[in-house]
Amino acid sequence: MTQDQVANPVGATGGTTASQQGHEELPAGSLTPAQAFDALYTFCAPALVRQTYLLTGRRELARESVERAFQLAWQRWPEVAVDRDPAGWVRIMAYEYALSPWHRLRPRHRRPEDLPADPSARALMAVLLQLPPTQRRTLLLYDGVGLDLPETAAETEASTPATAYRLMNARAAIAARLPDLADPSDLHDGLTLLASTEGLRAAQPPAVRTGSERRARFWTRAAIAFTVALIGTTALSLRTAPTHYEPPVPPGAEIQGVPPKVGQGPLSAAEAQLRKKLRESAAKGPERLVPLGR
């Protein structure tokens, strides 16, 4: 970790200055893609984990957000490597993942996480978590990371007046609860102190690259399996589908004029005599086969 990162753990990845500093320390022409990625990760990840912790108040989610952002950066490295601010690109991805509303559906995120042990840090974190996510992000980028108002507006996808309004509301809410942090410089120092009180560590760069490649292989295989299943379903449908129009069977209609079914009545005299004759005759022999002459 550089001296600037130790002195300012919140804003080590803030804006173009940090990006230019990273480019000056790491000449891109002499590095392989993996080495350039590892250098960017080593330079940005520690401070970015602390920033996402201030954004969410959850330690594990902060580490997960940064890892996912860098995994996405490794998958799109040809695009990220030529970006004018790779650190800002990764920061945007990490913030977007950290603030995703889907995290509220995860069982381990339904319970509140323990606040910092330091009383002042605990009070500031409690106030931050009560702010709306848009105000919290704007405050962190402007007073924590150190971006100016147009850069903050561009990163939060808002107009400059709307960004200024969010920033003033966030500062007013913090000043109402914590009067000692009403001054912006004191608020910056408070955010820096809060970020440095937690011993948050990022994963190693090779592990992040390996996880990114593993995730890419998984989704590639899933896409291939889905495509094969779709092709098989389509082929089965084409094979079993009718080749001509078959009109539907019309519903049944009631038939009128059919006489009702009646039970069998008593036998007549001739029928009774015939039945008696059949019962008295032999059950076997040619008499049963050769008719009698009349």
Side-chain angles (χ1 to χ4, degrees):
M1 185 180 299
T2 62
Q3 294 180 354
D4 294 336
Q5 288 174 292
V6 175
N8 189 5
V10 178
T13 60
T16 308
T17 303
S19 176
Q20 292 175 349
Q21 180 180 354
H23 288 303
E24 292 175 0
E25 295 178 356
L26 308 169
S30 60
L31 299 177
T32 64
Q35 292 174 340
F37 174 84
D38 292 353
L40 177 65
Y41 183 88
T42 304
F43 177 73
C44 297
L48 195 55
V49 171
R50 290 187 285 269
Q51 293 174 26
T52 49
Y53 172 68
L54 296 181
L55 199 63
T56 61
R58 295 188 176 275
R59 301 166 181 83
E60 188 61 31
L61 180 59
R63 287 186 288 263
E64 181 182 349
S65 302
V66 175
E67 290 183 14
R68 291 293 180 87
F70 274 98
Q71 287 175 359
L72 185 60
W74 179 240
Q75 295 174 11
R76 302 181 182 180
W77 186 246
E79 170 190 348
V80 178
V82 297
D83 192 272
R84 68 179 185 87
D85 186 12
W89 192 98
V90 177
R91 181 178 60 243
I92 293 175
M93 295 297 106
Y95 283 15
E96 291 291 339
Y97 183 86
L99 293 177
S100 175
W102 296 107
H103 295 308
R104 291 178 293 183
L105 302 179
R106 303 169 69 175
R108 63 180 178 178
H109 290 170
R110 295 176 183 175
R111 299 186 301 272
E113 192 162 335
D114 296 335
L115 296 177
D118 183 72
S120 59
R122 187 189 310 115
L124 179 57
M125 177 58 74
V127 176
L128 285 176
L129 295 180
Q130 292 178 358
L131 295 176
T134 54
Q135 294 184 14
R136 197 185 317 148
R137 183 175 183 177
T138 302
L139 180 73
L140 177 60
L141 290 174
Y142 190 86
D143 287 328
V145 177
L147 301 184
D148 58 19
L149 200 58
E151 291 175 340
T152 304
E155 188 159 324
T156 56
E157 297 181 349
S159 63
T160 303
T163 303
Y165 182 74
R166 292 173 181 175
L167 179 62
M168 289 187 298
N169 287 341
R171 285 179 173 178
I174 294 177
R177 295 283 302 275
L178 302 173
D180 295 340
L181 301 181
D183 186 78
S185 60
D186 295 335
L187 178 58
H188 174 78
D189 296 339
L191 292 174
T192 302
L193 176 63
L194 176 59
S196 60
T197 54
E198 297 296 324
L200 300 174
R201 295 182 178 273
Q204 296 299 320
V208 176
R209 283 190 285 105
T210 303
S212 175
E213 295 167 359
R214 188 184 302 111
R215 182 177 296 274
R217 287 194 298 268
F218 170 79
W219 286 112
T220 301
R221 293 171 182 173
I224 293 175
F226 176 77
T227 304
V228 171
L230 183 61
I231 293 174
T233 304
T234 304
L236 181 61
S237 301
L238 293 176
R239 185 174 183 85
T240 58
T243 58
H244 58 280
Y245 175 73
E246 296 181 358
V249 179
E254 183 179 359
I255 301 176
Q256 304 292 334
V258 178
K261 186 177 181 180
V262 297
Q264 185 178 1
L267 297 178
S268 63
E271 292 174 345
Q273 185 180 2
L274 177 60
R275 185 178 65 180
K276 180 180 180 182
K277 184 177 179 180
L278 290 175
R279 289 178 177 178
E280 292 176 352
S281 62
K284 297 181 180 180
E287 294 81 1
R288 304 288 295 177
L289 301 178
V290 178
L292 296 178
R294 294 184 182 273

